[in-house]
Amino acid sequence: MIEQPKYKTSDEVDFVIIGSGAAGGILAKELSTNGFRAVVLEQGPYLTEADYTHNEIKVLGEDLLTNHPKLQPTTFRKTPQDKAKQQRALVYGRSVGGTSVHFTANFWRFHEIDFIERGKVGAIPGANLVDWPIRYADLEPYYTKVEWEIGVSGLAGASPFDPPRSKPYPMPPLPVKSSGVLFERAARQLGWHPFPAPMAILSQPRPGRSACMNCGFCLGFGCEVGAKSSSLVAAIRVAERTGRCEIRPDSYVHCIETDARGRAIGAAYFDKDKNIHLQKAKAVIVCANGAETPRLLLMSANAQFPNGLANNSSGVVGKNLMLNSAAISMGVFEHPLNDYKGFAVSRILHDFYELDAQKVGFYGGGGLDGRFDATPIGFALNSLPPDTPKWGSAFKKTLAENFTRTMEVFSHGTSLPREENSFSLDPELKDAWGLPALRMTYKDHPDDLKLAKWLNDRALDLLEAAGATKKWSYPITEQEFAVHLLGTCRMGNDPKTSVIDTDHRTHDVKNLFLCDGSSFITSGRGQPTMTIEALAFRAADRITALAKSGEISA
């Protein structure tokens, strides 16, 4: 761990940043590099490469890297009229680096259509679809900055559907895996356009970081050699080296305090021993993710903001939740693929990124990727054909045969915003700190389910063309579990319908900023992290300009 400053909670630093994930890490890096003093409050522990392990029970079963359902229980309901039931409704990274520590690292840009869909396709019944107040061209320089500074491997120009770019990738794509070869051959046979998957994983070493060692424990696990371009390895450590940024782990923020003028003065948090502190700051930046960010705003309600902080003008904090639609198909092949080695994805396609609703009968779009992302225990429990016996010699035989011969085709697509889909405070259930638990309300728009089914049919076509000896799909059902947490504090020019402006500043509190998946207006096609990071780089530029002009402290 790099030596870093130790600010007192009474020290009024320039910025307190809540959350150290994809956005928080980049904002910490950029603002401290630009000369500002920052404290990053992270609710989880500060784990490093030495703490990461391939022990599936410890990592996945005991939630080493993620929110813990016993400490932070959640409830779920389909509609606001339903009684919420306690169940695990979401997962997110809970350590320094956030979800970027354990994500798959699929890393592509949004396309131009993602920013202007409402204007192009028109109103969709039952959805609250609007255009972004910024365009792809506004983010393009920041997408490039993500690729070069954070570290992305890929091949520019490989997909005919890619949006314009100003520079190539800084590293060549990762080597193709067996699933990628099968995926590419089958896709070309079907007339589609597969290409090397852009991945936030190093194909070449960088200072202090190794190229991918193909350990096979990628999705859900931390990277012991720094090949995965997490916020921790690519941004947090740069911020610490400035000597102006303190990363304060085990700091669970429960309230943003305001003064008589309605301005944020700092963040109140529990330390590891559940003692309460207030870190003072000239401005507060919330990067806690699309679930915890609205929860924190709602918990910060006071006499000036009775419905939640930064929620007076719009009343939409927590609303318009989007999860991305998805489907999974599996195929078994005659010969070993040995795809358990290495990273998850090496080939994808975007032929279906923008579907014609007049032809298919629903709104949306997405892509397919060929992957193997299961580790041994998870594979045995979840990735065998549905007719496999659950125990005995037949189970053992199928497990031994299939582990080296299976590949997955994952379908990832759009998710329409619906105002009633939301994160809110449960009125009854509390977490281990006595705070209101998160309540998730979610019902898929019918078009999202139609899209998932349509993409899954294409995935089965691909597995057939690839020569799978056996193929099957998982049921496509209404979602009750969230991984992508998007849209709950949307950006916009109108304070009556959005929470933040294009500078990521809340309309109602001029020294309070939000930057994470909650900022999204549309969901994209299934991989939001790169856009979160591009927004964070852009937000850092805007916040720096505001701070230097004196607008934040005025």
Side-chain angles (χ1 to χ4, degrees):
M1 195 181 299
I2 298 167
E3 190 65 30
Q4 53 179 306
K6 297 290 184 184
Y7 297 110
K8 297 176 182 178
T9 54
S10 57
D11 291 337
E12 187 184 50
V13 295
D14 296 305
F15 296 98
V16 60
I17 300 170
I18 302 166
S20 64
I26 284 174
L27 278 154
K29 166 188 172 294
E30 291 293 283
L31 293 172
S32 59
T33 300
N34 290 340
F36 297 106
R37 297 176 306 152
V39 171
V40 179
L41 299 175
E42 165 58 48
Q43 64 162 292
Y46 198 138
L47 304 177
T48 67
E49 288 82 353
D51 300 301
Y52 300 146
T53 173
H54 292 175
N55 183 329
E56 292 179 67
I57 302 299
K58 186 174 183 62
V59 176
L60 304 178
E62 298 178 4
D63 296 285
L64 176 69
L65 304 175
T66 53
N67 55 306
H68 199 292
K70 290 184 179 178
L71 296 176
Q72 296 167 294
T74 53
T75 62
F76 175 84
R77 60 185 183 177
K78 287 191 175 183
T79 73
Q81 292 73 42
D82 296 334
K83 170 71 174 174
K85 298 179 180 179
Q86 185 173 342
Q87 66 182 60
R88 188 165 198 179
L90 74 159
V91 65
Y92 59 78
R94 189 178 183 273
S95 68
V96 174
T99 301
S100 68
V101 168
H102 73 260
F103 72 154
T104 313
N106 259 329
F107 229 63
W108 63 72
R109 304 174 176 208
F110 273 19
H111 293 196
E112 290 160 305
I113 182 62
D114 292 306
F115 298 89
I116 57 170
E117 288 180 283
R118 173 61 173 84
K120 185 168 184 177
V121 307
I124 297 173
N128 190 19
L129 183 65
V130 298
D131 286 341
W132 287 63
I134 61 174
R135 297 293 181 262
Y136 171 79
D138 297 314
L139 270 191
E140 196 287 327
Y142 298 103
Y143 280 125
T144 296
K145 195 169 186 178
V146 172
E147 290 167 355
W148 284 78
E149 292 198 15
I150 301 303
V152 181
S153 303
L155 181 62
S159 169
F161 306 103
D162 267 358
R165 58 169 47 245
S166 54
K167 289 178 72 173
Y169 288 98
M171 290 171 286
L174 292 153
V176 66
K177 298 175 65 174
S178 299
S179 58
V181 172
L182 292 169
F183 184 95
E184 181 163 350
R185 288 177 181 173
R188 294 200 183 284
Q189 182 181 323
L190 293 167
W192 303 337
H193 301 80
F195 63 100
M199 300 292 284
I201 297 174
L202 304 188
S203 62
Q204 298 173 339
R206 285 190 159 196
R209 300 173 58 192
S210 167
C212 179
M213 302 294 287
N214 295 304
C215 72
F217 285 77
C218 204
L219 173 58
F221 295 80
C223 182
E224 298 99 322
V225 297
K228 192 185 293 188
S229 296
S230 69
S231 169
L232 171 62
V233 301
I236 292 290
R237 287 174 180 159
V238 180
E240 289 177 315
R241 283 196 290 270
T242 67
R244 288 182 288 272
C245 181
E246 178 188 351
I247 309 300
R248 199 173 293 166
D250 301 305
S251 300
Y252 188 21
V253 179
H254 60 90
C255 183
I256 298 166
E257 299 283 357
T258 56
D259 62 15
R261 295 186 298 158
R263 297 178 63 84
I265 61 169
Y269 67 94
F270 292 100
D271 65 17
K272 196 170 187 178
D273 299 317
K274 295 188 177 180
N275 297 311
I276 295 177
H277 307 272
L278 173 65
Q279 175 59 56
K280 293 187 176 181
K282 295 176 182 177
V284 176
I285 307 175
V286 186
C287 306
N289 72 48
E292 293 291 353
T293 289
R295 179 185 180 222
L296 178 57
L297 295 180
L298 295 172
M299 289 194 300
S300 300
N302 56 38
Q304 294 167 294
F305 298 94
N307 298 313
L309 193 60
N311 202 29
N312 282 359
S313 297
S314 68
V316 300
V317 167
K319 299 179 180 179
N320 299 298
L321 172 64
M322 299 172 288
L323 307 184
N324 287 121
S325 56
I328 297 172
S329 289
M330 308 289 289
V332 179
F333 291 82
E334 178 183 0
H335 300 292
L337 310 181
N338 294 321
D339 241 42
Y340 61 89
K341 299 178 181 179
F343 51 97
V345 182
S346 65
R347 287 297 183 273
I348 66 174
L349 59 82
H350 280 164
D351 293 67
F352 317 122
Y353 201 96
E354 187 180 353
L355 294 172
D356 185 342
Q358 297 297 319
K359 292 182 179 179
V360 298
F362 54 85
Y363 157 84
L368 307 178
D369 69 53
R371 63 169 64 190
F372 187 92
D373 56 19
T375 39
I377 296 174
F379 183 88
L381 295 175
N382 302 306
S383 301
L384 295 174
D387 59 356
T388 305
K390 301 301 181 187
W391 62 281
S393 59
F395 168 79
K396 294 178 182 177
K397 183 177 185 300
T398 304
L399 178 59
E401 183 81 6
N402 286 19
F403 186 65
T404 58
R405 289 173 166 83
T406 299
M407 69 172 276
E408 172 186 334
V409 178
F410 187 79
S411 306
H412 33 78
T414 45
S415 176
L416 281 164
R418 302 176 70 240
E419 188 168 307
E420 57 268 38
N421 287 344
S422 66
F423 283 118
S424 56
L425 303 180
D426 191 277
E428 300 172 4
L429 186 65
K430 307 294 184 185
D431 69 10
W433 292 262
L435 304 174
L438 266 169
R439 177 177 61 186
M440 177 172 150
T441 304
Y442 198 85
K443 186 175 177 62
D444 290 276
H445 190 283
D447 282 18
D448 296 342
L449 296 171
K450 292 175 183 176
L451 170 66
K453 174 68 167 60
W454 191 93
L455 289 172
N456 195 60
D457 288 344
R458 306 292 81 74
L460 290 170
D461 292 341
L462 190 145
L463 287 168
E464 181 73 25
T469 58
K470 190 168 192 170
K471 61 184 188 298
W472 68 96
S473 297
Y474 294 94
I476 296 168
T477 58
E478 291 188 347
Q479 299 183 82
E480 296 188 8
F481 186 77
V483 176
H484 295 170
L485 311 167
L486 310 174
T488 49
C489 294
R490 56 168 48 176
M491 177 193 292
N493 293 321
D494 186 354
K496 294 180 181 178
T497 58
S498 59
V499 181
I500 60 170
D501 64 17
T502 55
D503 291 335
H504 286 264
R505 176 155 59 173
T506 62
H507 293 298
D508 291 351
V509 183
K510 296 307 181 185
N511 67 336
L512 173 63
F513 299 82
L514 315 177
C515 187
D516 51 33
S518 69
S519 310
F520 282 35
I521 296 89
T522 59
S523 67
R525 269 65 182 168
Q527 303 301 339
T529 310
M530 189 180 194
T531 297
I532 291 172
E533 297 195 350
L535 288 170
F537 272 118
R538 181 177 176 276
D541 277 359
R542 313 290 280 204
I543 294 169
T544 295
L546 289 170
K548 289 186 175 179
S549 69
E551 283 194 48
I552 293 177
S553 57

